[in-house]
Amino acid sequence: GQQVMQIPQYQHVQEGEDFTTYCNSSTTLSNIQWYKQRPGGHPVFLIQLVKSGEVKKQKRLTFQFGEAKKNSSLHITATQTTDVGTYFCAGGMNTGFQKLVFGTGTRLLVSP
Amino acid sequence: NAGVTQTPKFQVLKTGQSMTLQCAQDMNHEYMSWYRQDPGMGLRLIHYSVGAGITDQGEVPNGYNVSRSTTEDFPLRLLSAAPSQTSVYFCASKTSGAPYEQYFGPGTRLTVT
């Protein structure tokens, strides 16, 4: 079945450093979504990318969707302690329900 | 709006017991789904529904049943709990069209001994 791998599994940075997580799908995706989950919380939607090569920014967060629509990345510039959490990508299938296959997540820890 | 609500927050079951995890949403979303989250494995889809009376299996449906009698409610039933079902369970809902953002409930942490 379809798999979505995410690396790294874990990253510990000092506040102010940059952070990037990468997502790779075994199959071509119709879209990709990114979610953030704070410790003890539930996933919260960040963004959806649909077009090949698409780049979107949200303040310090930059999201990219690969040209082949099989990979994606999330880059955080100048991390803050509020960025702590686990970041998940989720690959969307072009079906009526838009099933999502979640990546394994990258846990980010930011030290002040 | 309360969004997506789930009960209970925590539950401990003995092997073989059955129980129902409750999920409700007040956003009039057509699509609802259940996921389980295990360490290092992300979220995996158990069952989903595209509307009242319509359900289908996801990636890991064995040992679970669902029904959708109303738009608002989507309960998940564990028929005979097993230790392998120890996990955190999330219910989610979304509209049938764009945007495809999923709204997650707060989760139920289930331990089966």
Side-chain angles (χ1 to χ4, degrees):
Chain A
Q2 184 200 6
Q3 290 187 332
V4 177
M5 302 302 296
Q6 211 173 328
I7 57 169
Q9 282 191 331
Y10 172 81
Q11 187 146 12
H12 184 181
V13 301
Q14 294 293 315
E15 193 171 23
E17 292 181 337
D18 292 356
F19 160 77
T20 305
T21 173
Y22 300 90
C23 185
N24 287 287
S25 170
S26 57
T27 59
T28 302
L29 302 168
S30 63
N31 62 76
I32 195 150
Q33 297 182 2
W34 285 90
Y35 290 80
K36 177 183 178 182
Q37 185 177 25
R38 294 184 189 276
H42 59 275
V44 174
F45 176 83
L46 293 176
I47 207 161
Q48 174 172 280
L49 305 172
V50 177
K51 299 177 184 174
S52 169
E54 190 170 12
V55 177
K56 286 189 176 180
K57 292 192 176 186
Q58 288 180 350
K59 297 182 180 178
R60 295 179 293 105
L61 278 61
T62 302
F63 304 83
Q64 290 188 309
F65 199 10
E67 293 290 341
K69 300 184 76 172
K70 295 180 74 173
N71 57 74
S72 181
S73 65
L74 158 60
H75 179 82
I76 302 179
T77 303
T79 55
Q80 300 175 357
T81 53
T82 52
D83 295 325
V84 164
T86 301
Y87 293 85
F88 292 97
C89 64
M93 294 290 97
N94 198 14
T95 62
F97 176 71
Q98 278 282 316
K99 282 184 189 178
L100 291 178
V101 177
F102 279 79
T104 46
T106 296
R107 185 177 164 211
L108 173 64
L109 183 61
V110 181
S111 294
Chain B
N1 283 356
V4 180
T5 58
Q6 290 183 239
T7 56
K9 283 187 168 35
F10 302 93
Q11 183 71 48
V12 179
L13 291 177
K14 293 188 188 307
T15 296
Q17 288 184 317
S18 62
M19 80 159 294
T20 299
L21 308 186
Q22 301 292 344
C23 173
Q25 52 94 7
D26 62 359
M27 297 174 283
N28 204 31
H29 286 168
E30 298 92 338
Y31 291 179
M32 295 186 74
S33 52
W34 276 101
Y35 293 87
R36 60 176 290 173
Q37 184 174 32
D38 302 294
M41 298 189 73
L43 290 96
R44 292 181 292 169
L45 182 65
I46 304 172
H47 284 286
Y48 65 96
S49 169
V50 298
I54 307 169
T55 64
D56 206 345
Q57 296 181 350
E59 186 184 355
V60 287
N62 292 341
Y64 308 94
N65 270 1
V66 292
S67 60
R68 183 104 179 265
S69 55
T70 67
T71 299
E72 295 77 21
D73 300 298
F74 191 43
L76 178 72
R77 279 182 289 278
L78 279 71
L79 309 172
S80 177
S84 60
Q85 293 179 304
T86 293
S87 188
V88 180
Y89 291 84
F90 288 101
C91 178
S93 74
K94 60 182 178 179
T95 61
S96 59
Y100 295 107
E101 170 181 357
Q102 288 204 92
Y103 294 82
F104 283 85
T108 295
R109 186 174 294 274
L110 175 69
T111 301
V112 183
T113 61

